[in-house]
Amino acid sequence: MKKLAGFFIATILLLSSCSSVPLTGRKQILLVSDQEVLTSSLTQYGDFMKTAAKSTNKAQTDMVVRVGKKIAAATESYLKANGMESEIKNFSWEFNLVKSDEANAFCMPGGKIVVYEGILPYIANDTELAVVLGHEVAHAVAKHANERMSQQLLAQGGSAILGQVVGGASATVQTVAGTVYGLGAEYAVMLPFSRKHEYEADHMGLIFMGMAGYDPRASISFWTKMAQGKTSAPPEIMSTHPSDANRIAELEKYMPDALRYYKK
Ligand SMILES: [Zn+2]
């Protein structure tokens, strides 16, 4: 009987925690409160930034901040204008450029975005940088980290979820957050997003960059360059291996949608 009650509570919980991703409308299950996701991720982001070497190139750092802020502002005003401002409640955008030869970038919940210097050789101008930053902003807005954490909690079974969500005990969330962010990785907070999340971030990223006035078609040239220069270790934004050809094909598919939002 107790088990059955647990099952019903779990079902109700799952139904009530089902939300949809802005713009794509995809249904997702978010079991962890935004507050808990933010608390756990801000600690890890802070730890990362403490040890990371910030870029000393002022022009490039300014470029990352300038393009990032523009995309974040356009995204925010769109969400506000469409009654979705709660999606980014408690967000506080930060855009950093750090020293590393890796062609990489990542985003943590709440809008904390880090770009590695190693990706800059593939970037000719603000518009191509907007491809990367739009993608990372999209991961944050779509709450992919929360979804990953929720998937792991689900995998741990119903009772764990109940303890977690109802009791709000932070220990398990912390553990799960640790797995999601790949703690222990040598130099990186690595979010192993699924291919589905990568494609969704690409799709939304094109729209966000377009809203900020950057031509989404630059994504094709950027990803072509990235594919040609790929080293043995694929960067996060390619880490779940949509093959390059597939990725570019998907981008082409999203393009008409993205161009509707493109403000010249
Ligand atoms: Zn990504």
Side-chain angles (χ1 to χ4, degrees), residues 105 135-136 139 191 193 197-198 201-202 236-239 247:
H135 176 98
E136 299 302 336
H139 275 311
L191 297 165
F193 288 129
H197 284 170
E198 289 307 323
D202 278 351
E236 182 280 323
I237 46 179
M238 321 173 80
S239 67
R247 184 162 213 162

Side-chain angles (χ1 to χ4, degrees), residues 87-174:
E87 299 289 338
I88 48 166
K89 206 174 107 204
N90 299 323
F91 270 44
S92 164
W93 300 99
E94 275 178 39
F95 300 91
N96 308 277
L97 181 63
V98 303
K99 280 185 185 166
S100 165
D101 292 337
E102 226 182 306
N104 207 349
F106 70 83
C107 170
M108 292 194 73
K112 310 299 188 197
I113 290 166
V114 176
V115 176
Y116 293 171
E117 284 184 342
I119 207 167
L120 296 179
Y122 302 97
I123 288 169
N125 48 42
D126 283 22
T127 307
E128 288 186 348
L129 179 60
V131 178
V132 175
L133 293 175
H135 176 98
E136 299 302 336
V137 164
H139 275 311
V141 172
K143 300 190 178 150
H144 287 158
N146 190 339
E147 198 175 359
R148 290 291 288 179
M149 290 163 77
S150 303
Q151 283 160 354
Q152 298 218 2
L153 285 170
L154 272 177
Q156 288 180 5
S159 58
I161 300 168
L162 286 180
Q164 243 347 275
V165 180
V166 178
S170 289
T172 310
V173 169
Q174 283 292 353

Side-chain angles (χ1 to χ4, degrees), residues 1-16 158 162:
M1 197 58 207
K2 217 174 170 186
K3 239 181 174 172
L4 199 63
F7 173 77
F8 281 124
I9 296 169
T11 308
I12 290 163
L13 206 64
L14 289 182
L15 289 175
S16 62
L162 286 180

